[in-house]
Amino acid sequence: MEPHHGGDAPGDGPGDHHLLPRAEGVHRRGHADGGEGLILAVDGGNSKTDLALVAADGQVLATARGGPFTPQSDGVPAAVTDTLRAVRQAGMTTSPVLVAAFLAGADLPVEEEALAAEFAAQGVGGRIVVRNDTFALLRAGASGPSGVAVVCGAGINAVGVSPTGRVARFPALGKVSGDWGGGQDVAEEMLWHAVRAEDGRGPETTLSTLVRRQFAVDSVEQFVLDLHFGRVDPDRVLDLAPGLFAAARSGDEVAAALARRLAGEVAVMAEVCLRRLDLLETPAEVVLGGGMLTARDPLMTALLDGEFAVRAPRAKVIVADVPPIAGAALSGLDMLGATEEAKARLRAHYTPRLA
């Protein structure tokens, strides 16, 4: 959740905070804040890390891509080391005026602060701001710094920022913190139903056929045993998730029920953020991102339209049209007080690059 250093408004609920000068992991090393200079923008996700060196006028000077940013499994020092290796290999400076790092795994205040401290400890100069990567999605899709973002990739998360700077977040620690709806959750549920359909405990579903075809096995049980005995990487279960919508469109009721549940989870996360920030009854932008949502499946789009019509009818739902690294860089420009022209130049650089 958002680091809390005091100053909550009366009546704020759990997860609602004001943005204060140190409302994220921040470290400074050797440079003054603001003014002319370079921004090192980082979008560290579970599958890849995108990097950009950006001038204060919005010009993108260099870009690079590194591997997954996974401090939970690799440890904070190793995750930061790998990122900085990609920075240096691309010839980017590690002494910009500002590092704007939006990172998976920065879900709690202590994690944001530890990551910011590690960047500084490894010789990164300038002001270092670390925030969760969902904030980068919000800035990438919204017209300004405020609004709500819901990301549904391998996992699911949401964040909201009010026009006054108040923030609503979730711990986003998985099932233990009440989360369901990322691609991993969906894929595991699909496998569960496929197993039960095959052995007779559950209703028939084409998801059983999907499992057999996806993994070239004679039975779902064979695939489950392959997982159990370590013959298949458990991460491969995620490969099932993209097949959900086609199965649902074909009339498979089990798949359709899962798609409806997913749409409901996306919408309720946005609704809760909007309510916490007193934005539910006013026009507000809700940005959707992550592979499960940017696929723009027509069935999922229709389900989301229906959910938002009930839960947040005044929300303007937007599927981000630029990648989250653009949001990281735009946030950096915001922090430097850059002009709107600079921000437009930055956004224009990334808009045609979205596949």
Side-chain angles (χ1 to χ4, degrees), residues 142-166:
S143 58
S146 65
V148 168
V150 183
V151 61
C152 186
I156 191 168
N157 198 3
V159 67
V161 180
S162 78
T164 62
R166 283 176 53 204

Side-chain angles (χ1 to χ4, degrees), residues 254-295:
V254 171
L258 283 177
R260 290 193 295 269
R261 182 181 175 189
L262 177 58
E265 286 293 319
V266 171
V268 77
M269 292 189 89
E271 177 191 10
V272 169
C273 286
L274 291 167
R275 182 185 300 114
R276 288 178 177 176
L277 299 175
D278 299 319
L279 297 177
L280 195 57
E281 303 302 326
T282 62
E285 294 174 326
V286 174
V287 181
L288 305 182
M292 296 291 287
L293 303 180
T294 56

Side-chain angles (χ1 to χ4, degrees), residues 4-153:
H4 184 194
H5 301 283
D8 283 0
D12 282 354
D16 300 350
H17 305 287
H18 287 290
L19 283 176
L20 300 176
R22 285 187 50 80
E24 64 277 304
V26 178
H27 279 255
R28 294 173 174 83
R29 182 187 176 101
H31 287 278
D33 293 342
E36 297 294 323
L38 300 177
I39 301 166
L40 177 61
V42 184
D43 171 51
N46 291 315
S47 60
K48 59 181 172 53
T49 299
D50 283 327
L51 306 153
L53 188 66
V54 180
D57 66 357
Q59 183 179 357
V60 178
L61 304 176
T63 62
R65 174 165 288 181
F69 191 87
T70 51
Q72 299 95 327
S73 57
D74 297 338
V76 167
V80 172
T81 295
D82 289 346
T83 297
L84 293 181
R85 183 181 299 117
V87 169
R88 294 180 176 112
Q89 287 175 346
M92 298 182 186
T93 179
T94 55
S95 294
V97 111
L98 171 67
V99 176
F102 292 75
L103 306 172
D107 298 310
L108 301 169
V110 65
E111 293 167 335
E112 292 176 329
E113 292 165 6
L115 286 161
E118 186 62 32
F119 274 98
Q122 293 201 28
V124 175
R127 179 186 178 198
I128 303 169
V129 178
V130 172
R131 306 199 76 185
N132 183 265
D133 56 344
T134 312
F135 285 93
L137 169 64
L138 172 59
R139 191 63 183 91
S143 58
S146 65
V148 168
V150 183
V151 61
C152 186

